[in-house]
Amino acid sequence: MIKILNGIHETVAYDYFPSIKLYHNMEAEDYPLHWHTAMEIIMPVRKKYTVVIDESPHTFHEGDIFITPPGTLHRLIAPPPGPDGDEGERLIILLDYGLICNVKGMDSLIHSLHPYALVSRKEYPELNAQLCSYLDEISREYDNRIPFTEAYIYSLIIHFFVAIGRTNFNASEKFPGITSSKQHEYIEKFMDVCNYITDHCTENINVDDLADLAGFSKFHFSRLFKQFSGVSCYEYLTQKRINHAETLLIEPNISITEVAMRSGFGSLSTFNRIFKAAKHCTPSEYKSLNRTKKNTISGGSAGPGEK
């Protein structure tokens, strides 16, 4: 069960370490619609598993790795027990995003994973094998907790996301047709632009400002940004504003209008339209989902069926 759930907002109950929680889930228990500020990594050890995002189910199999970024509304569906009563096993890691967000380039990487990332053994065999080795090592360290375990786990987490980043942001694929030195220069520039957008998304920034920051013409910048991030600059900025709005909507004393203004949207109608398109519910509906009485289940550290 989810230990601390306020409406649809889960507060992750970290136990041994302040920023990471790992457990071996072995119960055929589904989890209701919820979100949290933690990054979630799931790897089935036995039997398949399903994550539902935007009402679309994503089923993955033993050894596949599913990553849910912070703030994503999702449900979890476990497979039914087999004839022998086996309910399967999943390695689940919840990671405080603050642990890695200050590492240069991580913010743009996390954005590129929205609304989810699936690294399957079939489609990405080399990357999957590399990531599985990191997860296996993290699991051993977490379960045994020898001296310097926390520091070692954090280093493995960084290696895990660097491996994904180097696959996602392959310079020769992002910016083909130019010299290698220029490709890497462009990667650095657009990582800086993404960091700037994250830090200033609630302000009145536009493509002209960002193009000047990167040192390109507006047309050239827009084309290169989409090559880098996979979305337009406007879409990237909008997503950051939506993410900021979500954090404000869970506050009971802030009105929808104030949320819209404080999140960088020019009008309430624009905010309502864009939010509903992105989250499949209105800001008011989203806020009401988080109004339900706080459900806290006391107890010790999480067991196999707890989240």
Side-chain angles (χ1 to χ4, degrees):
M1 62 186 68
I2 296 177
K3 294 188 73 176
I4 305 173
L5 188 64
N6 183 15
I8 57 169
H9 177 211
E10 177 189 1
T11 300
V12 177
Y14 296 108
D15 36 46
Y16 300 113
F17 306 115
S19 300
I20 185 170
K21 181 185 186 72
L22 180 150
Y23 57 101
H24 305 273
N25 179 289
M26 293 178 283
E27 295 186 5
E29 179 182 12
D30 297 340
Y31 295 98
L33 184 70
H34 67 285
W35 69 275
H36 39 65
T37 58
M39 178 89 64
E40 187 164 26
I41 303 169
I42 302 175
M43 182 181 72
V45 178
R46 298 193 318 277
K47 307 187 91 174
K48 63 186 179 180
Y49 205 56
T50 299
V51 178
V52 180
I53 296 175
D54 293 337
E55 297 305 316
S56 298
H58 306 279
T59 299
F60 45 105
H61 303 271
E62 294 177 9
D64 293 343
I65 298 169
F66 195 94
I67 303 171
T68 306
T72 303
L73 280 168
H74 61 292
R75 294 188 290 119
L76 305 179
I77 301 176
D84 57 355
D86 182 18
E87 298 176 348
E89 178 183 351
R90 284 69 55 184
L91 174 67
I92 299 181
I93 295 175
L94 291 164
L95 170 71
D96 183 355
Y97 173 55
L99 182 67
I100 61 171
C101 68
N102 292 323
V103 178
K104 185 174 182 179
M106 286 298 169
D107 190 69
S108 51
L109 168 60
I110 300 309
H111 184 90
S112 74
L113 302 180
H114 278 279
Y116 70 90
L118 174 59
V119 184
S120 68
R121 291 189 299 175
K122 183 177 180 180
E123 291 188 58
Y124 305 97
E126 292 183 8
L127 178 61
N128 177 273
Q130 186 178 6
L131 298 183
C132 283
S133 69
Y134 290 139
L135 294 181
D136 289 342
E137 188 71 7
I138 289 170
S139 179
R140 282 193 295 271
E141 284 287 322
Y142 192 96
D143 292 340
N144 294 319
R145 291 189 289 280
I146 59 178
F148 300 104
T149 284
E150 185 176 3
Y152 186 46
I153 286 177
Y154 291 171
S155 72
L156 290 168
I157 290 291
I158 295 296
H159 278 84
F160 179 92
F161 284 104
V162 165
I164 295 173
R166 287 184 169 172
T167 301
N168 253 16
F169 297 111
N170 184 302
S172 61
E173 292 180 2
K174 294 290 184 184
F175 304 112
I178 60 175
T179 63
S180 176
S181 61
K182 278 291 182 184
Q183 288 171 346
H184 292 291
E185 179 187 333
Y186 283 10
I187 290 287
E188 292 288 327
K189 279 189 175 185
F190 283 97
M191 282 185 175
D192 287 342
V193 169
C194 288
N195 290 336
Y196 182 87
I197 292 174
T198 298
D199 293 339
H200 300 272
C201 65
T202 61
E203 301 172 16
N204 186 27
I205 57 177
N206 54 50
V207 178
D208 293 295
D209 298 329
L210 298 172
D212 288 342
L213 179 67
F216 295 113
S217 68
K218 180 178 178 180
F219 173 79
H220 197 45
F221 170 80
S222 298
R223 181 173 61 82
L224 292 175
F225 188 93
K226 188 160 188 176
Q227 284 180 223
F228 173 78
S229 67
V231 296
S232 71
C233 185
Y234 173 76
E235 290 170 319
Y236 192 96
L237 173 60
T238 298
Q239 181 59 57
K240 290 300 178 183
R241 287 173 171 168
I242 289 292
N243 292 346
H244 184 77
E246 287 178 279
T247 65
L248 297 178
L249 285 169
I250 66 173
E251 298 295 331
N253 298 322
I254 302 179
S255 69
I256 302 295
T257 300
E258 187 177 354
V259 170
M261 297 303 107
R262 287 172 57 176
S263 301
F265 292 94
S267 70
L268 179 60
S269 60
T270 299
F271 173 55
N272 284 332
R273 174 175 53 80
I274 291 176
F275 190 94
K276 185 171 184 179
K279 307 304 293 186
H280 304 281
C281 64
T282 66
S284 297
E285 290 168 340
Y286 188 90
K287 194 174 183 69
S288 68
L289 285 171
N290 283 286
R291 265 191 207 132
T292 15
K293 185 177 178 181
K294 188 171 184 179
N295 175 27
T296 305
I297 299 172
S298 61
S301 59
E306 294 178 350
K307 186 170 186 296

